[in-house]
Amino acid sequence: MSAADRDPRRAVGAELLSTSPVTLFHRVPVLQQALRRLRESGYHVVELDAGAWRSGREMHADLARGLDFPAYYGNNLDAFNDCLGDVTGRAYGFPEDATGLVLALTGFDGFATGLPGLAHGLLDVIAVRSRGALLSGEQLICLIQSADPRFSTAPVGATPVVWNPAEWHDGLRGG
């Protein structure tokens, strides 16, 4: 019996996680609809504007605020990996009563264009931590929004990043 079978509220997250821990969205209304469904199912949603990040320092500060990282957070991807592991273990940044955790990053293409290595590294850490969360019965989902309907990124956590089902075909994104 799957976790979604035991708790039907987890089915929304399981659908997204079935292809990748990181899912692309182009149209903001499609993303907002997915976030609404997740919230209605009890997920804790952290929305951040990645398009505003012009440096690693800005990215880390925003992530630390959004995920309630401790003051000793090291502001690098290794520290992000460590703290995200604590978050998925519900030490902080993830309410006990939440169905799962969703990290929604809007304007991700702008961030990825300016800092491609850091952007990919961030998604890679999230993907690996998401897989670890699943192994302990938790769900960590990352949704990234791109203004560019042709945006793509290299596989993360050894899995590809794919478009959501409502925008899978190029024509559905207006591209």
Side-chain angles (χ1 to χ4, degrees), residues 81-141:
N81 182 40
D82 292 343
C83 286
L84 191 58
D86 292 343
V87 169
T88 59
R90 296 187 189 240
Y92 45 81
F94 188 179
E96 280 295 322
D97 62 343
T99 304
L101 177 63
V102 178
L103 188 55
L105 307 176
T106 58
F108 194 82
D109 55 317
F111 171 59
T113 298
L115 296 165
L118 183 59
H120 185 266
L122 173 68
L123 296 181
D124 203 50
V125 168
I126 293 168
V128 169
R129 282 297 176 182
S130 177
R131 186 171 35 248
L134 285 170
L135 293 173
S136 64
E138 299 291 356
Q139 288 184 344
L140 169 61
I141 300 162

Side-chain angles (χ1 to χ4, degrees), residues 44-70 73 75-76 80 84 87 93 102-108 111 118 122 126:
H44 178 66
V45 176
V46 176
E47 288 186 74
L48 301 173
D49 180 8
W53 300 339
R54 300 291 176 249
S55 67
R57 186 177 71 50
E58 290 176 356
M59 178 197 80
H60 287 290
D62 208 18
L63 287 165
R65 255 189 316 277
L67 294 167
D68 197 28
F69 285 177
Y73 174 58
N75 296 297
N76 59 60
F80 178 70
L84 191 58
V87 169
V102 178
L103 188 55
L105 307 176
T106 58
F108 194 82
F111 171 59
L118 183 59
L122 173 68
I126 293 168

